[in-house]
Amino acid sequence: MRNGVTIGQAAAFVDITVKTVRRYHKLGLVAEPERDSSGYRRYGSGELLQLAQVRTLAAAGVPLAEIGPMLDADTARFGAALVDVERQLTERIDELVARRDTLHRLADGDRALLPDRACAILDRMPGLGFSPDYVAAQREALVLARALVPAGFDGFLTQLEHRLDDPESIDLTKRGWEAETWEPDDPRIEELATAMADHYLANPTLLGNPTSRQAWSKASTQYRLINNHRGDQAPIAARLTALTETKLRSAGVPIPHR
């Protein structure tokens, strides 16, 4: 199966039109993917993340001409740009008050892209010993999950909350991230996958509720895109996740295939 999705699927996943996607490309806001051997452009998780970010900023009232510099800006310039956008919106406050409230959240980066509950989960992670790189990867995965599988997002948050409340789950997750330093044929990878699967099976709340699992099972393509995001940067962790999922499926847990 070809990697990525077509422009039409990408637009539908992010809830915009194909025309809008092409406009984002023309303005240089979203990188245009290369064509595959069939001549079609295939959109992966990286492009979908960019589309979700631009769409959210545009919906909040940020002019398209200002989005590119804001995405690349440092904290000071980002904040200054927000002040100017808020001034413009305030001039039309009666019709744009809801958008102005959203802009207030932009001062903390992805807080405009995620609800408070998701941000609270991310905020807990450093205090539990998770590295900045791990937290950044989880932030991007949450942005993609909310944009691509909204019906399963709340259940996914509940699943993450349970895992952060479970010391053994935290330890297994950290070991999985540390496994990136192991050799690809290290036998500990298989052993760790077995330990993860066994722990999840012994604690069903860590696997999410049935409603959420059903939503994800109907979104196998989206699930694959989210799970493969950053897979090239963390191949051992991606393999570990795949092995764990295989073991869970063999035990009857309905997890979509990558």
Side-chain angles (χ1 to χ4, degrees):
M1 182 176 181
R2 298 185 181 91
N3 292 325
V5 296
T6 65
I7 187 172
Q9 291 173 306
F13 287 166
V14 186
D15 196 24
I16 55 178
T17 66
V18 170
K19 182 178 179 180
T20 298
V21 175
R22 290 183 172 136
R23 187 182 183 194
Y24 290 170
H25 288 325
K26 185 177 180 180
L27 293 173
L29 299 176
V30 177
E32 193 168 13
E34 297 293 332
R35 297 183 184 275
D36 63 13
S37 58
S38 301
Y40 292 98
R41 298 191 187 280
R42 293 284 169 175
Y43 290 73
S45 57
E47 289 83 12
L48 288 168
L49 178 62
Q50 291 178 322
L51 287 171
Q53 290 172 327
V54 174
R55 179 208 64 183
T56 303
L57 289 168
V62 180
L64 290 179
E66 297 178 26
I67 287 179
M70 288 180 71
L71 292 175
D72 296 332
D74 57 26
T75 302
R77 289 189 294 127
F78 190 81
L82 284 178
V83 170
D84 185 57
V85 173
E86 182 175 0
R87 177 189 58 78
Q88 298 175 44
L89 291 181
T90 303
E91 294 174 355
R92 297 175 288 154
I93 193 167
D94 288 343
E95 59 178 302
L96 296 175
V97 63
R99 293 184 181 180
R100 188 187 64 177
D101 290 343
T102 302
L103 275 175
H104 287 162
R105 297 165 59 86
L106 291 178
D108 199 13
D110 284 333
R111 288 186 181 278
L113 305 173
L114 293 169
D116 289 341
R117 185 181 173 199
C119 292
I121 290 173
L122 294 170
D123 289 345
R124 286 185 63 190
M125 290 182 176
L128 294 171
F130 290 102
S131 70
D133 285 345
Y134 178 83
V135 177
Q138 295 307 301
R139 178 179 290 108
E140 292 177 358
L142 284 171
V143 172
L144 284 168
R146 188 189 188 198
L148 303 185
V149 195
F153 186 67
D154 283 344
F156 182 49
L157 294 183
T158 299
Q159 181 181 351
L160 289 177
E161 289 166 345
H162 285 311
R163 291 185 179 185
L164 293 184
D165 288 336
D166 181 72
E168 186 171 351
S169 180
I170 291 173
D171 180 64
L172 290 169
T173 301
K174 289 180 183 176
R175 288 171 59 194
W177 194 251
E178 293 165 0
E180 207 52 49
T181 62
W182 300 351
E183 294 297 325
D185 59 351
D186 194 313
R188 290 179 295 174
I189 298 174
E190 180 78 31
E191 293 170 1
L192 183 53
T194 298
M196 287 180 167
D198 288 347
H199 183 64
Y200 295 151
L201 291 171
N203 300 272
T205 57
L206 302 179
L207 293 170
N209 60 55
T211 301
S212 178
R213 288 201 300 268
Q214 183 179 27
W216 284 93
S217 67
K218 293 179 179 179
S220 58
T221 299
Q222 296 94 315
Y223 181 79
R224 183 174 65 253
L225 288 164
I226 295 167
N227 249 348
N228 289 340
H229 180 60
R230 286 204 177 196
D232 57 335
Q233 300 175 37
I236 302 299
R239 182 185 166 208
L240 178 63
T241 299
L243 287 170
T244 303
E245 290 177 346
T246 297
K247 295 177 184 297
L248 291 173
R249 286 191 202 98
S250 67
V253 179
I255 296 177
H257 287 273
R258 285 166 165 256

